[in-house]
Amino acid sequence: MTTLIMGIVNVTPDSFSDGGRYADADTAIAHGLWLRAEGANLLDVGGESTRPGAERVAPRVEQERVLPVVRALAEAGAVVSIDTMNASTALAAVEAGARYVNDVSGGLADSDLLAAVATTNADLVLGHWRGPSADMYARAEYADVVQEVLRELTDRADAAAAAGIPPSRLVVDPGIGFGKKGAQNWDVLRALPRVVGLGHRVLVGTSRKRFLTEALATDGAADDPSVTESRRDLATAVTSVLAAQAGAWAVRVHDVVATRDALRVSEMWRRPGVAGVRG
């Protein structure tokens, strides 16, 4: 199985890593087309930041940001995902050409979302979530983080099925960085084969996240200025390769090139009979 690359298109002023760079539609569209040209198989367009501490955005504002971008990218032939927790935005984006709805809340933030997506032909990504970004870390209490994530993802998949969405249209995301502190993220990543074992496609998103900075910082600080964006992108590429080896269907990243190259090198390493180059 070839792991797909989902490129991130944040049409927001306040995303944790690239907030404001692509906040207007024309810049976001250009960025999405560039990510596609660099090797992204899917483009995930979002108009609401889910960084730690972020406040919710009104659906009207979210839609003003994302719908022109979704429509233009879909018309250009890209496979588009809408990153939203709102049923109305999901429906509008699918009508504009999105083929995936990526809900980091797993349908918990808006009780109408599962039923809304069921009326479309879009596939649905269900993220593991324990509450809004404003206080997500206060909810990061687990007796057994892996067991609880598996159970809660199963509950969300069952809820989607009850709403009329067949398993063939579902993707699950263990929610790395959402309601999980540093070591808990590593525990879940090490258990990715068990997440894959649930029987659904699995999306993994580690890109530039806080727990990577903590791992690379000399003192474990999440705000260590020496852990630059390029260092976090390299760490993301490594975790993306490991996720692919564990059976992930797709990885969600900011830096498509680094991940594309890392996945390609991993593929060549594991492929038998590939002729080497003599130095």
Side-chain angles (χ1 to χ4, degrees), residues 53-96:
E55 298 295 331
R56 296 300 311 274
V57 171
R60 176 187 58 78
V61 174
E62 180 187 35
Q63 290 164 34
E64 288 174 353
R65 292 173 177 176
V66 299
L67 293 182
V69 180
V70 169
R71 186 173 294 108
L73 293 175
E75 288 175 353
V79 179
V80 179
S81 165
I82 178 65
D83 178 2
T84 186
M85 295 183 281
N86 294 307
S88 60
T89 301
L91 288 176
V94 171
E95 184 177 350

Side-chain angles (χ1 to χ4, degrees), residues 194-211:
R194 295 176 64 186
V195 181
V196 173
L198 295 176
H200 301 286
R201 290 170 290 169
V202 176
L203 173 67
V204 176
T206 63
S207 192
R208 298 179 181 170
K209 288 188 175 176
R210 179 190 183 106
F211 80 107

Side-chain angles (χ1 to χ4, degrees), residues 28-155:
I29 292 164
H31 182 60
L33 293 174
W34 179 80
L35 291 177
R36 184 183 181 220
E38 294 293 335
N41 306 103
L42 309 95
L43 299 174
D44 195 37
V45 179
E48 177 178 2
S49 174
T50 53
R51 63 177 173 76
E55 298 295 331
R56 296 300 311 274
V57 171
R60 176 187 58 78
V61 174
E62 180 187 35
Q63 290 164 34
E64 288 174 353
R65 292 173 177 176
V66 299
L67 293 182
V69 180
V70 169
R71 186 173 294 108
L73 293 175
E75 288 175 353
V79 179
V80 179
S81 165
I82 178 65
D83 178 2
T84 186
M85 295 183 281
N86 294 307
S88 60
T89 301
L91 288 176
V94 171
E95 184 177 350
R99 291 163 56 181
Y100 290 83
V101 174
N102 180 14
D103 180 2
V104 299
S105 82
L108 291 170
D110 185 340
S111 60
D112 294 329
L113 187 133
L114 297 181
V117 175
T119 67
T120 74
N121 292 320
D123 288 3
L124 174 63
V125 182
L126 297 167
H128 177 264
W129 191 77
R130 281 199 162 179
S133 297
D135 66 345
M136 68 165 74
Y137 291 133
R139 301 167 191 257
E141 299 295 334
Y142 301 87
D144 183 329
V145 65
V146 171
Q147 202 59 37
E148 291 175 52
V149 167
L150 291 171
R151 183 179 69 247
E152 290 165 26
L153 281 176
T154 298
D155 289 346

Side-chain angles (χ1 to χ4, degrees), residues 3 24 52 223 251:
T3 299
D24 69 88
D223 58 353
V251 290

Side-chain angles (χ1 to χ4, degrees), residues 173-178 180 184-186 188-189 204-206 209 211:
D173 179 345
I176 301 302
F178 288 91
K180 300 169 190 69
Q184 294 167 338
N185 293 296
W186 294 111
V188 173
L189 287 172
V204 176
T206 63
K209 288 188 175 176
F211 80 107

